[in-house]
Amino acid sequence: MDDLLDLDQVIERFDPAIGLEVHVELNTASKMWCGCSTAPGADPNTQVCPVCLGLPGSLPVVNGKAVESVIRIGLALNCDVAEWCRFSRKNYFYPDMTKDYQISQYDEPICFDGSVDLEVDGRTYVIGIERVHMEEDAGKLVHGGATGRIHDADHSLVDYNRAGVPLMEIVTRPVPGLGAEAPAVARAYMAHLRELMRALGVSDARMEQGNLRCDANISLAPKGRTELGTRTETKNVNSLRSVEAAITYEMRRQGAILSSGARVKQETRHWHEEGYTSPGRSKEQAEDYRYFPEPDLVPVAPSREWVEALRATLPEPPAGRRARLQAEWRFTDLEMRDVLGTEGALELIDATVAAGASPASARKWWLGELARRANESGAALDDLAIGPRQVAELQSLVDAGTINDKLAREVIEAVLAGEGDPAAVVEARGLAVVDDDSALSAAVEEAIAANPDVAERIRAGRVQAAGALIGAVMKQMHGRADAAKVRELILARLG
Ligand code: ZN
Ligand code: MN
């Protein structure tokens, strides 16, 4: 096990720099250079052809939909779009790609010079985007043996179905000026990308499925030095939690090495879910790949008209949308922070408001009673068996005076138990507030008769004593009464 320095000691002595390279698998129907299907779950080596198997004489053709997706992503990341760019061959030994080169982009990425504003714990961080480029995925190796790991496998199998699936790589600039929050900022960036890919509809962006994979570069420099330290690159980290944990681990490991006077070795590292990184290969330099322009593909030259037409298809940026909704809903900063701090709450409240509820009531239900129930059952808010339309219906029953808040909680219970929509539950369980004046009056009379001393005090002008009688009436009506109306009746009866 590596020696680790406490994170606060790391921050006392060093400035961390992080840089993230994120691969996104696009959700196009066909592969990057051929018409083979990208549908998941097929038998091994059934979605292949001479192009994606790299057979002699085959020629690649660019997937137009993939180019469109990458341009939209670049625009959403505030990048410039190249007027003209080429593909390059990246030469390597790829056991999972028969060509032994990957078609990628080298010095001419399609999108470049972008930025993302991230808000983490009330502070805004600007993440510079160096480039977004197109490339292809490799096939998949399946290692035989008990552990499925390469070093104790007696054989390995290869499935080329994934070879040639469109990939996009988003590369950040090193992010400066971070302290102990560096891992949390990296995590927030990944969460932002995931949200953005889904909003654009260009990728399923499921990290656990490998649609979105992060290579995290981390280095430490002695405090106050502008020159970056030697970095390590932890490959293929595939959950938000792991991104945060892997960066924290590398900061602590490198901190211990540098504090002992030794040097950090430039290398790739592997993340283990048990919570540590281990060395991989020592990192090649870009020159080692012998990049050269891909001679089998024509350059890509997106017209400005096309780029502008694609810009018009962009969804509202997440940060702008949050600001717009806060203004429309008239939520305070504190209220909005609560909403954003609960996963899924923003979407649910938005949909509940769209279904007719007031923003305040939508927030009250989702962050109150429903959040409490989700918490209790360990479920996510949007996994509850009640949706925005039903919450809006519930609130309309409250607004109409059909049920009160207490009965509404009973209705929620029934909806969650699968008894149907709120109005149907109120009907079936007979939960409506009793609106019948004679029934209420009878209950009021009974309460007065049972509490003569209280009634006497109210008659003497001590109006606040009415609370005790209201409670008695509500109890007798099993909560099915409008408290304001009961109060009115009591005061009218007792002068
Ligand atoms: Zn193919
Ligand atoms: Mn790549």
Side-chain angles (χ1 to χ4, degrees), residues 30 76 92 113 129 265 334 360 384 386 409 417 455:
S30 60
Y92 197 66
D113 277 349
I129 304 293
K265 206 170 129 203
L334 202 65
L384 285 178
I386 186 169
R409 281 191 279 278

Side-chain angles (χ1 to χ4, degrees), residues 23 90 102 133 135 169:
H23 285 92
K90 182 181 184 182
Q102 178 193 35
H133 72 246
E135 57 186 38
E169 186 171 334

